[in-house]
């Protein structure tokens, strides 16, 4: 594959344009390319270079994705071998369903309507909880980053509550909140809140003093400085917080759904275990993984226009 | 680093609004008066005197350089005129008004990294007019005019990260001027640039200034730069910063690079050099004593 790329790279060197030493040596140019001026020839050569560079980059990229896909396939092959041969070396594969069984069961779930209902419930909870966490988290974060008072009042709560895992909140959430739905949303919200707050504070506190002074010299009010200087400056850190928060939101949601609730992908996974539907456990797990990855990707993509100014162009 | 092209200069001259406004700037505004100013930092125990008994009058349309060894308080004095620090004692006024906070009448150009990285070059320059209440369209049109003035019209949509250091400083100058300030404060604006670029920028700055003729206060520790640019050089001593000399530079304008090797230039340069050398030696001795 590398050999081929090198051969392709080498092609333009033998292009007639590159052999013509300068624009005045018309005879040389004519000998190689009768209708072209040197300038046109240069353009052609440049375009060819650009095309080859682009093709090379694409090949490099597809090669990497190929490796990633192969890595996943390897795991499935291992899973297949381990389950068909009932491997039992400390880790016991005897009760683990085979990949083909899971695939079959998955087709069955896709054909029914129940499975979609579970996904819809989970997505709804994520949307509400995550939305609340983003709005409150960014607001609190900006407040804390801008005011020592706000930071001193809020930070102790954040530090104390942050290490408490979502599962530990479940009993209290059930006792305090009126519905199961609201307790699951609350737990999810709490999980997503902390990364948003902390990353926002971090971003706001990193604001460059020179930029604030420059803005003040240009007649900006405190409010304008907030919108034009502080928040955009904190944005890279905020976006990181938003992406991390999405991941945390999913596993907090799952904790909530496993223990209470009547729908949701977490509930689906746990009831499959109690109902001895082992393939469904794996379907649930993979669905969670997939939804979590896709939603995090969505957050990054949605935020990338806000980071276009970075040297990386906001690409993710 | 292309200088202002003839085309872009024409564009500036044709812009009647700029012309009208820039002539208004010359109408006697931009008078700075510093009387008996002390600037101190820190609390009782660890108090440092950055500027001591500064007296200085700068008239409308003057180009004044504050020259001194590093750490002599020249930037502090500039920041006081900008309104970022307030004098501990004494009075500082611009056009008769006591300076208490920054304002758009005093534009500032910083040493480096002062453009808003998330705004395009044009939006950076349009920011001042926008804050002054101009509509988006007006602000953009002013920004384009000023970008032509510094020869960067072609880079209007680029982000600062894609510009060289010299280009960024030109955008910084355009941004500061877009508010039509009566005073332009410059804090070692070319200090981070390589020697060749710096000379280009100095010529460029003088060319632009010829259009505006507003008051310029320019902080530098580079003697050549001070002599080349200014009408007056205010020399400051090492800490505490005192004004120890006020040298008139009556070299003819317009000035070009050739001036740097002329005998008149050398005379002034030697004069500054001796003053600065004395101050630097003093500073060394103080540091040795302290150490």
């Amino acid at each position: 594959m590398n050999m081929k790329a090198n051969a392709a790279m080498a092609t333009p060197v033998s292009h007639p344009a590159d052999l013509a030493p300068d624009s005045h040596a018309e005879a040389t140019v004519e000998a190689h390319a009768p209708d072209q001026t040197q300038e046109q020839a240069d353009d052609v050569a440049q375009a060819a270079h650009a095309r080859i560079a682009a093709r090379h980059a694409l090949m490099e990229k597809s090669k990497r994705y190929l490796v990633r896909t192969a890595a996943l396939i390897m795991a499935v092959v291992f899973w297949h071998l381990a389950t068909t041969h009932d491997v039992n070396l400390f880790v016991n594969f005897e009760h683990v369903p085979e990949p083909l069984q899971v695939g079959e069961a998955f087709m069955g779930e896709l054909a029914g309507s129940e499975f979609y209902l579970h996904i819809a419930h989970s997505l709804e909870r994520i949307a509400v909880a995550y939305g609340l966490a983003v709005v409150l988290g960014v607001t609190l974060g900006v407040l804390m980053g801008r005011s020592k008072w706000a930071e001193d009042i809020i930070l102790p709560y954040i530090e104390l509550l942050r290490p408490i895992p979502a599962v530990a909140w479940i009993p209290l959430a059930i006792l305090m909140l009126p519905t199961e739905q609201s307790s699951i949303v609350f737990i999810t919200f709490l999980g997503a809140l902390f990364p948003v707050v902390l990353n926002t504070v971090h971003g706001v506190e990193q604001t460059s003093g020179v930029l604030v002074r420059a803005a003040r010299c240009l007649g900006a009010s405190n409010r304008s400085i907030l919108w034009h200087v502080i928040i955009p400056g904190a944005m890279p850190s905020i976006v990181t917080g938003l992406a991390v928060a999405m991941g945390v939101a999913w596993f907090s949601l799952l904790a909530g759904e496993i223990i209470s609730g009547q729908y949701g992908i977490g509930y689906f996974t746990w009831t499959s275990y109690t109902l001895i539907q082992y393939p469904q456990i794996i379907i649930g797990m993979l669905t969670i993984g997939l939804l979590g990855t896709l939603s995090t990707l969505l957050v990054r993509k949605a935020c990338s226009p806000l980071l276009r100014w970075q040297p990386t162009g906001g690409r993710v | 680093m292309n200088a202002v092209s003839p085309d872009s200069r024409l564009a500036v001259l044709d812009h009647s609004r700029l012309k009208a406004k820039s002539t208004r700037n010359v109408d006697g505004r931009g008078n700075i008066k510093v009387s008996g100013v002390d600037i101190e930092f820190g609390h009782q125990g660890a108090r440092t005197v950055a500027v001591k008994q500064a007296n200085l009058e700068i008239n409308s349309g003057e180009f004044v350089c504050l020259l001194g060894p590093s750490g002599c308080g020249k930037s502090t004095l500039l920041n006081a005129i900008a309104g970022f620090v307030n004098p501990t004692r004494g009075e500082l006024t611009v056009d008769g008004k006591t300076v208490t906070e920054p304002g758009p009448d005093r534009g500032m150009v910083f040493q480096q990294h002062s453009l808003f990285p998330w705004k395009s070059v044009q939006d950076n320059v349009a920011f001042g007019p926008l804050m002054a209440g101009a509509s988006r369209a007006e602000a953009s049109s002013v920004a384009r005019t000023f970008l032509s003035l510094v020869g960067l019209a072609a880079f209007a949509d680029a982000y600062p990260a894609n510009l060289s250091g010299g280009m960024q400083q030109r955008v910084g100058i355009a941004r500061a001027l877009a508010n039509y300030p009566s005073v332009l404060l410059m804090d070692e604006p070319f200090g981070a640039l390589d020697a060749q670029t710096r000379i280009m920028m100095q010529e460029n700055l003088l060319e632009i200034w010829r259009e505006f003729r507003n008051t310029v206060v320019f902080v530098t520790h580079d003697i050549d730069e001070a002599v080349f640019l200014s009408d007056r050089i205010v020399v400051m001593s090492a800490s505490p910063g005192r004004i120890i000399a006020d040298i008139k530079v009556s070299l003819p304008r317009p000035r070009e690079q050739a001036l740097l090797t002329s005998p008149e230039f050398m005379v002034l340069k030697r004069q500054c050099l001796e003053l600065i050398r004395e101050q630097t030696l003093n500073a060394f001795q103080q540091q040795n004593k302290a150490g």
Side-chain angles (χ1 to χ4, degrees), chain A residues 207-221 224-225 227-234 305-306 308-311, chain B residues 79 82-84 101-104 106-108 110 112-119 124 127-128 130-131 159 161 175-176 179:
Chain A
T207 305
S208 145
V210 175
L211 295 186
V212 173
R213 276 188 289 151
R216 291 181 69 198
C217 263
L218 293 165
S221 61
S224 298
I225 288 174
W227 283 112
H228 289 277
V229 182
I230 290 161
I231 291 181
L306 298 170
R308 223 176 28 214
W309 53 272
Q310 287 191 313
Chain B
N79 281 332
F84 293 130
E101 58 179 6
R106 284 152 289 141
M108 185 127 172
F110 300 84
Q112 57 179 343
H113 304 312
S114 75
L115 298 180
F116 305 121
W118 41 86
K119 288 186 187 289
N124 261 281
F127 186 70
L130 213 57
M131 291 299 112
Y159 284 106
R175 183 177 68 175
N179 265 352

Side-chain angles (χ1 to χ4, degrees), chain A:
Chain A
M1 194 173 255
N2 243 336
M3 287 285 282
K4 258 188 198 165
N6 285 341
M9 286 288 278
T11 328
V13 178
S14 60
H15 192 279
D18 289 329
L19 295 175
D22 67 51
S23 56
H24 298 295
E26 277 174 21
T28 328
V29 175
E30 265 176 23
H32 289 280
D35 303 334
Q36 282 177 337
T37 65
Q38 178 65 37
E39 212 168 290
Q40 281 171 330
D42 276 349
D43 283 351
V44 170
Q46 224 167 42
H49 268 298
R51 258 202 319 277
I52 283 155
R55 203 193 310 158
H56 191 70
L58 190 72
M59 271 174 63
E60 192 59 32
K61 206 173 169 183
S62 33
K63 203 168 83 184
R64 295 194 64 187
Y65 276 100
L66 218 65
V67 173
R68 289 174 196 195
T69 314
L72 286 179
I73 291 171
M74 253 164 56
V76 177
V77 169
F78 171 80
W79 171 20
H80 175 76
L81 292 175
T83 46
T84 46
H85 291 86
D86 286 342
V87 173
N88 187 2
L89 298 163
F90 186 69
V91 179
N92 188 357
F93 283 89
E94 280 165 18
H95 305 291
V96 177
E98 291 165 26
L100 284 173
Q101 291 176 322
V102 174
E104 233 169 84
F106 185 53
M107 289 303 157
E109 290 298 338
L110 286 183
S113 63
E114 194 89 334
F115 184 61
Y116 298 104
L117 207 58
H118 287 298
I119 291 179
H121 268 85
S122 288
L123 287 178
E124 187 197 341
R125 289 169 186 150
I126 284 281
V128 174
Y130 186 73
L132 285 173
V134 168
V135 172
L136 192 72
V138 172
T139 312
L140 284 180
V142 170
L143 260 175
M144 288 166 68
R146 293 304 289 160
S147 146
K148 281 207 176 78
W149 271 97
E151 185 165 18
D152 288 343
I153 291 170
I154 303 167
L155 197 65
Y157 290 96
I158 304 255
E159 292 296 350
L160 198 68
L161 298 182
R162 191 166 59 110
I164 302 172
V167 191
W169 277 99
I170 292 171
L172 196 62
I174 292 172
L175 289 176
M176 285 170 67
L177 290 163
T179 59
E180 264 181 353
Q181 176 75 351
S182 56
S183 23
I184 297 172
V185 167
F186 172 72
I187 290 161
T188 310
F189 156 81
L190 217 54
L193 182 68
F194 297 120
V196 177
V197 175
L198 292 173
N199 279 282
T200 306
V201 174
H202 178 70
V204 169
E205 283 179 345
Q206 273 186 323
T207 305
S208 145
V210 175
L211 295 186
V212 173
R213 276 188 289 151
R216 291 181 69 198
C217 263
L218 293 165
S221 61
N222 283 337
R223 197 206 186 110
S224 298
I225 288 174
L226 185 67
W227 283 112
H228 289 277
V229 182
I230 290 161
I231 291 181
M235 203 44 89
S237 184
I238 295 178
V239 170
T240 304
L242 295 185
V244 172
M246 186 50 101
V248 182
W250 275 100
F251 65 71
S252 306
L253 172 83
L254 266 294
E257 283 183 347
I258 281 175
I259 298 195
S260 63
Q262 284 167 0
Y263 281 108
I265 202 71
Y267 173 81
F268 170 87
T269 308
W270 190 248
T271 41
S272 302
Y273 174 70
T274 52
L275 297 174
I276 332 179
Q277 295 177 327
Y278 294 153
Q280 269 72 5
I281 298 176
I282 299 190
I283 293 170
M285 287 170 66
L286 290 179
T287 309
I288 294 159
L290 200 66
L291 289 176
T293 307
L294 287 180
S295 52
T296 306
L297 201 68
L298 188 74
V299 168
R300 287 207 178 271
K301 282 281 175 219
C303 293
S304 79
L306 298 170
L307 300 178
R308 223 176 28 214
W309 53 272
Q310 287 191 313
T312 55
R315 264 169 280 131
V316 285

Side-chain angles (χ1 to χ4, degrees), chain B residues 3-4 9 202-212:
Chain B
V4 179
R9 302 254 330 210
Q202 290 163 357
E203 285 183 325
N204 220 289
L205 173 65
L206 287 184
E207 241 175 291
I208 294 165
W209 179 63
R210 217 162 55 191
E211 309 263 346
F212 284 86

Side-chain angles (χ1 to χ4, degrees), chain B:
Chain B
M1 199 79 6
N2 40 335
V4 179
S5 71
D7 285 358
S8 63
R9 302 254 330 210
L10 264 177
V12 171
L13 293 175
D14 283 351
H15 205 284
S16 54
R17 191 158 159 267
L18 168 63
K19 194 73 183 158
K21 271 215 159 184
S22 66
T23 29
R24 213 191 305 155
N25 271 338
V26 195
D27 287 351
R29 292 201 299 139
N31 298 283
I32 303 166
K33 198 166 176 201
V34 180
S35 7
V37 162
D38 290 353
I39 303 172
E40 295 170 8
F41 293 117
H43 297 288
Q44 260 77 37
R47 225 169 161 68
T48 39
V49 184
V51 176
K52 185 89 190 148
Q53 275 300 307
N55 289 296
L56 182 62
E57 255 182 77
I58 299 172
N59 297 320
S60 172
E62 263 190 311
F63 198 125
V64 175
C65 276
L66 297 182
L67 178 70
S70 44
C72 75
K74 53 194 192 299
S75 289
T76 308
L77 188 54
L78 193 80
N79 281 332
I81 301 172
F84 293 130
V85 286
N86 290 322
T88 315
R89 273 176 290 279
E91 211 191 11
L92 203 163
T93 63
V94 172
D95 293 325
K97 264 174 52 190
T98 302
V99 172
T100 52
E101 58 179 6
D105 58 324
R106 284 152 289 141
M108 185 127 172
V109 181
F110 300 84
Q111 186 167 12
Q112 57 179 343
H113 304 312
S114 75
L115 298 180
F116 305 121
W118 41 86
K119 288 186 187 289
S120 69
V121 164
Q122 178 169 315
D123 287 346
N124 261 281
V125 182
F127 186 70
L130 213 57
M131 291 299 112
S135 72
R136 217 152 244 295
E138 276 172 347
S140 300
S141 129
V142 173
R144 277 194 297 274
T145 306
F146 278 90
L147 283 176
S148 304
L149 184 71
V150 296
L152 289 175
F155 293 88
D157 296 326
Y159 284 106
N162 300 322
L163 266 52
S164 71
M167 287 158 99
Q168 291 186 17
Q169 286 311 82
R170 275 146 76 192
V171 177
I173 293 170
R175 183 177 68 175
L177 288 174
N179 265 352
Y180 302 96
S182 53
V183 177
L184 183 62
L185 305 170
M186 306 184 86
D187 191 0
E188 306 204 33
F190 310 144
L193 304 178
D194 63 81
Q196 269 65 41
T197 310
R198 195 181 313 153
I199 291 167
M200 293 286 241
M201 294 288 291
Q202 290 163 357
E203 285 183 325
N204 220 289
L205 173 65
L206 287 184
E207 241 175 291
I208 294 165
W209 179 63
R210 217 162 55 191
E211 309 263 346
F212 284 86
R213 285 284 171 179
N214 49 0
T215 309
V216 179
V217 185
F218 190 110
V219 163
T220 183
H221 60 256
D222 179 340
I223 296 171
D224 282 15
E225 185 167 66
V227 178
F228 183 70
L229 292 174
S230 49
D231 295 322
R232 267 166 72 197
I233 301 174
V234 173
V235 184
M236 290 183 72
S237 70
S239 64
R242 288 172 198 272
I243 293 171
I244 52 163
D246 195 333
I247 300 165
K248 193 156 175 53
V249 180
S250 34
L251 300 170
R253 291 185 191 274
R255 295 176 189 169
E256 268 150 27
Q257 206 183 331
L259 186 72
L260 291 170
T261 48
S262 73
E264 304 93 309
F265 187 91
M266 289 302 166
V267 171
L268 283 161
K269 183 174 169 176
R270 188 169 306 131
Q271 199 181 342
C272 294
L273 213 58
E274 276 160 14
L275 281 163
I276 294 283
R277 192 181 146 72
E278 209 175 298
Q279 288 315 312
T280 314
L281 282 175
N282 279 348
F284 268 136
Q285 274 162 10
Q286 276 177 17
Q287 276 164 15
N288 287 343
K289 257 184 238 162

